[in-house]
Amino acid sequence: RKILREALTPNGEIIKNIFTLSVNYSRTVEDGIKAGKYDWSNSDITSNHFPTKHCPGSEEGVKIELVHFGKNMNTEDVLSELSKKGLRPAELHELLVLGEKHSDLQREFPIIALASVWQDPRGYRFVPYLDRRGSERNLDFYWLDYRWNGRCRFAAVRK
């Protein structure tokens, strides 16, 4: 079952997969993971490793757009294309609310939040994403310098 939402840009172009959500940026990552009821989550996805860039205590309404390029791309190109569309990449707190409120989405395709980056002790940088393994819903991370598969959707917010 596909879950599609549509909206129009200011110049009349149709955008699919728009989700209006209320994001509490003071909620811990751990509480967001619990609320999302994931079957599995990477133990390195924590509030300590992925702090919010928003003011703690703030709650905002955001419209998350799932951007699909339909081709393999590197992170730099994805960020450039999002910027051209007037979008910023979503952060982990926003991704967690999307996963909580629209739990079946990640069963259709991987959803990546490029604004939240964690560097491990070896110097590798990772970003969180929602995906599935069989019928299970997972929260994991990918290497930031990964060449993204054409199936991926990038969670983004209008600037």
Side-chain angles (χ1 to χ4, degrees):
R1 168 183 129 196
K2 293 207 179 248
I3 302 170
L4 297 177
R5 308 284 188 266
E6 293 185 357
L8 294 177
T9 64
N11 58 0
E13 141 189 350
I14 294 176
I15 304 173
K16 292 184 180 182
N17 291 321
I18 301 284
F19 301 89
T20 302
L21 304 169
S22 180
V23 180
N24 180 348
Y25 293 99
S26 63
R27 180 166 80 168
T28 67
V29 168
E30 294 76 9
D31 285 345
I33 292 170
K34 186 176 180 180
K37 299 177 183 167
Y38 300 99
D39 296 299
W40 181 86
S41 67
N42 189 303
S43 62
D44 280 317
I45 299 178
T46 64
S47 294
N48 192 37
H49 290 165
F50 291 96
T52 183
K53 294 177 176 106
H54 288 79
C55 292
S58 69
E59 188 164 330
E60 296 177 26
V62 297
K63 289 186 180 191
I64 295 181
E65 178 178 336
L66 298 183
V67 180
H68 180 225
F69 296 105
K71 62 183 180 179
N72 294 352
M73 296 176 71
N74 64 38
T75 299
E76 185 178 302
D77 291 339
V78 170
L79 292 172
S80 175
E81 289 300 315
L82 290 177
S83 184
K84 286 178 191 174
K85 293 176 179 287
L87 298 167
R88 67 161 175 82
E91 68 168 63
L92 178 57
H93 281 76
E94 295 156 346
L95 183 72
L96 290 173
V97 173
L98 180 68
E100 174 188 351
K101 301 296 182 187
H102 300 279
S103 59
D104 283 335
L105 279 175
Q106 70 190 83
R107 289 188 170 108
E108 295 179 41
F109 37 70
I111 305 169
I112 294 88
L114 290 174
S116 292
V117 180
W118 172 60
Q119 185 169 321
D120 76 1
R122 298 168 294 166
Y124 295 108
R125 297 177 310 151
F126 297 94
V127 293
Y129 77 102
L130 301 174
D131 201 5
R132 70 179 177 92
R133 184 166 293 135
S135 64
E136 290 186 351
R137 295 173 52 244
N138 296 326
L139 172 64
D140 203 355
F141 53 64
Y142 273 139
W143 184 40
L144 183 63
D145 296 322
Y146 182 75
R147 185 153 177 87
W148 301 103
N149 181 295
R151 289 186 55 243
C152 294
R153 301 316 193 262
F154 297 91
V157 177
R158 191 99 9 225
K159 291 181 187 176

